[in-house]
Amino acid sequence: MNNRKPEFVMTIIGASLAALGILITGPLLILILFAATASSMDHMMMTSDDIIGITFGAGFIGLSLVLAIAACVFGFIAAFKMKNGTPAIKGWSIALIVIGALCIFSYGWITGILFLISGIMSLVKTSNEKIILNLFDGIQETKALFL
């Protein structure tokens, strides 16, 4: 089993940045919704364009909040699954790549890049482990033939 410390560290940093994204986008969403309800209660001071703009803004920030929560949860789970060396590392690596791609196009490009790099590195190490294991089995079989 290869040492997966770089993948573990990058995934932990990415998940921590996702947690920071939760701490930023959560209060921002509450603030926007509070401002929208407070100004709409004030004798309809908002036009329909303002309401549409606030709705789209709150929707985008809400989507970013949901993605940050998913990235944080999956990031921490994947990091500790990689550290323990479970057999399902390939699946968690693919999950990191998918979440990393979604994060790049949403709220956190640094989180996305960290998840992409750690997912790709983990997939490459998984295939290298299989090749090394197959070579080792071949060497053992060759030794057995000569003994």
Side-chain angles (χ1 to χ4, degrees):
M1 180 78 45
N2 282 337
N3 187 12
R4 297 187 187 276
K5 191 170 185 173
E7 293 92 340
F8 175 73
V9 170
M10 283 192 291
T11 307
I12 288 291
I13 291 172
S16 300
L17 288 174
L20 184 65
I22 293 170
L23 293 176
I24 292 171
T25 57
L28 187 63
L29 181 63
I30 292 171
L31 182 67
I32 286 176
L33 293 176
F34 179 73
T37 56
S39 64
S40 67
M41 301 283 263
D42 193 21
H43 303 294
M44 298 305 272
M45 297 287 286
M46 291 174 44
T47 64
S48 63
D49 290 339
D50 294 335
I51 293 172
I52 291 171
I54 287 177
T55 303
F56 278 121
F60 180 72
I61 292 173
L63 182 64
S64 295
L65 179 65
V66 168
L67 185 60
I69 291 170
C72 183
V73 169
F74 280 112
F76 280 120
I77 291 172
F80 288 106
K81 292 283 185 179
M82 278 190 225
K83 183 178 180 184
N84 292 337
T86 60
I89 290 176
K90 188 175 182 181
W92 286 106
S93 301
I94 293 171
L96 280 176
I97 291 171
V98 169
I99 291 174
L102 289 174
C103 287
I104 284 177
F105 295 115
S106 179
Y107 77 96
W109 58 274
I110 296 174
T111 302
I113 289 173
L114 287 172
F115 281 166
L116 277 173
I117 291 172
S118 64
I120 290 170
M121 283 176 63
S122 181
L123 275 177
V124 169
K125 280 189 180 179
T126 302
S127 63
N128 283 345
E129 286 175 359
K130 289 180 184 176
I131 291 170
I132 290 171
L133 186 62
N134 289 339
L135 287 175
F136 184 71
D137 288 341
I139 292 171
Q140 290 293 346
E141 291 172 4
T142 307
K143 278 179 148 179
L145 290 175
F146 289 115
L147 292 177

